[in-house]
Amino acid sequence: MDRLAENQYKLDININQMKKVGFKFDHELEEYVYKFPVYKYNGIPLIFCKLGIDEDTKRIWFNVCDSNNILYSPYYYKEFGKNRIIPQIEKEILKVLNKLKATKVN
């Protein structure tokens, strides 16, 4: 299976529609993002996904981060070995992409 990070998705949506589905303005990134948990341990969210949409191209970007907003490197670097939670992270991201009706462009 392809990793989601290796694919590109597109969603034709405006800012008002983004707000309706839960996007919030991120002052650090200076754009609207949809942040959601992708991994919980004992019910506590530890790993999150920040998903955004490029306003010009309508392409979706996302970052998988820990609770301190630092990139979760095992998601991006396979050479660290097999990580058993990566499939769960991918499943949660895919759920949101499907909910938003995003289309794969590659």
Side-chain angles (χ1 to χ4, degrees):
M1 179 174 127
D2 286 339
R3 296 283 302 272
L4 288 176
E6 296 168 354
N7 296 311
Q8 292 186 16
Y9 293 85
K10 194 172 187 177
L11 182 63
D12 194 9
I13 189 172
N14 64 40
I15 290 177
N16 288 329
Q17 293 168 322
M18 290 168 69
K19 289 178 185 178
K20 285 181 184 177
V21 296
F23 281 74
K24 305 246 187 269
F25 190 76
D26 185 312
H27 293 283
E28 183 180 314
L29 298 173
E30 295 185 358
E31 63 183 289
Y32 283 88
V33 297
Y34 185 66
K35 184 177 178 181
F36 55 98
V38 291
Y39 179 75
K40 295 177 183 178
Y41 181 76
N42 288 335
I44 300 169
L46 297 178
I47 303 173
F48 297 86
C49 180
K50 271 190 172 181
L51 185 141
I53 301 169
D54 182 280
E55 290 183 49
D56 297 326
T57 64
K58 302 297 183 187
R59 300 233 176 186
I60 294 174
W61 59 265
F62 66 87
N63 292 326
V64 177
C65 304
D66 64 17
S67 57
N68 293 319
N69 208 26
I70 297 170
L71 285 180
Y72 182 65
S73 59
Y75 180 77
Y76 296 97
Y77 303 108
K78 296 180 202 176
E79 58 270 7
F80 290 139
K82 186 173 172 104
N83 186 320
R84 62 179 175 79
I85 67 171
I86 298 299
Q88 182 178 347
I89 291 171
E90 298 250 298
K91 180 180 171 186
E92 295 301 318
I93 295 170
L94 198 53
K95 277 185 197 176
V96 170
L97 291 174
N98 289 334
K99 177 180 131 185
L100 294 173
K101 297 183 171 89
T103 55
K104 189 174 174 182
V105 291
N106 65 334

